Every structure is written in structure tokens, then in C-alpha cells.
Amino acid sequence: MTLRLHDTATRETREFVPLTPGRAGIYVCGLTVQSEPHVGHVRSAVNFDVLRRWLAVTGHQVDFIRNVTDIDDKILTKSAEQGVHWYALASAMKRELDAALTAINVLPPTYEPGATGHVPEIVELIEQLIARGHAYAAEDGSGDVYFDVRSWAAYGELTRQRVDDMEPAGDADPRGKRDPRDFALWKGWKKESEPQTASWPSPWGPGRPGWHIECSAMAGKYLGPAFDIHGGGVDLRFPHHENEQAQSRAAGRPFASYWLHNAWITTAGEKMSKSLGNSMLIPSVLERVRGIELRYYIVAAHYRSHVEFSFEALEESAKAFRRLEDFLDRAAPVVGSWFASLPDAFREAMDDDLGTPAAVAVIHDSVREGNRLLADGPSDELSQKFGEVVAMLDVLGLNPADSAWATGRTDDRLTEVVDALVKGLLEERTAAREAKDWARADAIRDRIKAAGVEVEDTPTGPKWSV
């Protein structure tokens, strides 16, 4: 089966045909590093990480670019409120983002460009747009430069809107615009209210890039004028992605062949965001569940489905993942040689627009069959099921044996100590049972259970879990 993806631009699910056979160029809009990342922020990173992994499994060499917006109005405003340099705030929040993505096993991108490191490319692209008659410098002395939406007949095609039906662009002072919907490509330095460090020289005077032009310039630098997939959250479709496509194509760059957008994570039906005050910061969430369990929660939903967040749902999802882990823990000492293989049903699910809900269902089916086989002891069939489960979890970034998850453990030495103590008690219990001292055996089991440890008797001996 061939991978099919739902293209937001055409609103069709169609076969993925890369521009260069065997390669895939992906550009994903990363975060504006203005505050700590919450669950809604990291969903996009996880969803496109799964896409990247699946493309690699299916034989593609992936060039994966995920940018960071490290200068914009919000960063300047928040840094001023906090009394810190804007670049110090952006740098600190970037470290928070890196820690959050590492905690949920999101692979580092091939490259992660920042807007402030690509001002020359941005200025060059703006000059091209002015030369082609699609951009103009404001005549009010502000130093602003705008994209002329009326000059590009296809403006609005990504989101299927007419220019006259659009709201005015609110990204700059409207006094310098020919049309209120024209959007800023370059923002002149406001000497009275902005630090000089937040400006760069340009043909139009000192200033800084507009939000939309950053991504067009960085995508062009690292993926070329035409590339395969552009991704991001559904809230970026307008105005951000609409403007990216318009300015890139107006400059003569074909830009993205496919547009993919992940849906929101909501709380009480509203998009999770800092402004709503309902965000769930990653460190706080990871006090309730492990990183691998949070990733499973995100992966188990289709990337285009809205997810209503609650801790109850998160914890139920974590329990479901633990059942998968439990099978691997109990089967690992039993199976002999095994090799990783992907069931056809899993491949079909992933090839159908990254159908992770169906793919996760296949994993649970394999675990149920594996548990049945495990009860009968070692067999080739059990080894096969074990290998299938490992391979499928690995594709989704959920393999508990992946060394990436080791960084999320609070204290491996403490785990070793607890394991030794519990095993000592279990050995005492086994000896009591062999001596038919049932009262002592039950007393030891009750003592272990009172400490929050569950014991399960298996054909290979007792197993424990918290």
C-alpha cells in the first residue's frame, strides 16, 4: 500500500509522491519561544515526528526542518514586562522547549533555524517581492514593508477565502498600508519603545522581520524553492500559512506540494493556550504521568482529530499503555530469538493518512494474542508477537527499550535498590509457600501490597509493578 496524506490545500487524501524519489523534505512551523510549552504546543511536534519516523521506515531519507521564532511582538512585550532582555527570554524558553520535547522522545530536526539568524535571506526575499511588484515600503516614514495582497490574484487560495471577506491584518500600524489586509514583511524599529538590539540593518532602515516572511525564507534556504510537505497546527492555516504561500509563490518559488495540519488539544472545548489560562505545562503534566505515557496519549488520537484534554483521560490512556509494557516485561525473559516485523494491518493503518488510532488498535490486538501465547510458555508464535509489538511501538516512538526514555528516569539507581528489596521479599514469600506456610506467604504479599506494589504470579515466577 502507498502512503496517502490528507492535503489541507486540496482537501483531498492523495498519494504521497516526493519531488525527489527516495527523499522527503518537510518544513514544520515551530513555536514562538515566548513562554513555557504546554501540552497543546507539543502535539504538533509529536504528530510530525510520527510522520518523519514513518517516512524513514518506508525507505525515505528525510530532511526535516522545524524553525523557531525567536523575535516578535509577544517576545518583546513579555521581556519588557519581566524586566529581562528579549534574547534572554527567548533563549530560556527555547531551553524549556528542548527539555519538553526530549522528555517525550521527539527526534531533533535535521536543522532548527531561528529567525534572528536568517535576516539576510529574509531581506533578499523581500527585495525580490518589491522588484516583482508584490511588496512596497510604507510612505509614512515608519520603515515598514508590506505585501500587497491585491497584487497576487491567488491570495486566499489555501484557505478558500476572498480578499474582501478577510479581516484586516493586525500585525502593524495600518496607516502605512495601501489595503488594510496587506501584511508586514519588515517592521521598522520603534526607537521609543523597542530596544536597539531588536533591530537589524536593511535597505528600508533598521527593523526586524515580520512573522510570515521568516518561514518562507528559512524553508527556501534549507529545502529549496520547492519541497514536499509543510506542516503545522490548524490554527496556522490563516493568516500564517496563507501568507507564506502567497509571498513565496509571488517571488517565483513553487513552495510546498502538500499542506498538513494537526488539530488542537482543547480544554472545555477551547483551544489550549496561555491566553485562556487553561494551559497544562509539560513539567506539571510529567508529575502525573511519564513522558512515554504522555506521548502515547497524543499518538493514540488521529492528528486531524481535536482532543479534549483532561487528567482523567490522560491517566486512563497511561493505564492502557502500561498494559502494553506489562506484556513486554513478562514476555522478554521467555522469548528466545526474535526479530522486529510490522503486521500488514499496522502498515495499512499508517499508510492511510497516518491512521494512528487503528495502528494502536493493532498493537493491542497483538498484545492480547501475545498474552494468550505467554500463558502456554515459550513458542515461535510468542517470539513473533513480541517482535511485532516492539517494532510497532518503535515506529511510534513508544518503545520502552529505546535509550531515549532513559533520560526521563528520575533515578535508575533508586529503581535498582527498590527492585532488590522487593525481590528479597518475594523470595521469602516463595520459600514460605514451598514450606506450605500460607499465613506467612499471605502476610508478605499483604505487606508488599500495602507499599503500593502489585505482585503477579506467572509461569516464570512472580513479577511486580508499582
Side-chain angles (χ1 to χ4, degrees), residues 105 292 321 328 390-391 393-403 405:
N105 196 18
I292 197 169
F321 180 75
L328 294 177
V390 170
L393 290 174
D394 208 43
V395 167
L396 301 179
L398 292 168
N399 181 2
D402 187 336
S403 60
W405 295 117

Side-chain angles (χ1 to χ4, degrees), residues 195-262:
Q196 188 172 7
T197 53
S199 67
W200 288 261
S202 81
W204 318 284
R208 56 188 169 88
W211 177 30
H212 315 297
I213 198 70
E214 298 170 358
C215 288
S216 288
M218 290 186 283
K221 181 175 180 66
Y222 297 104
L223 296 176
F227 56 95
D228 297 304
I229 297 171
H230 195 314
V234 68
D235 51 317
L236 298 180
R237 289 179 63 238
F238 187 86
H240 187 48
H241 289 169
E242 184 72 71
N243 292 349
E244 273 190 73
Q245 177 168 282
Q247 65 199 9
S248 298
R249 293 186 174 176
R253 304 178 181 185
F255 213 50
S257 299
Y258 298 77
W259 288 89
L260 270 62
H261 293 94
N262 64 276

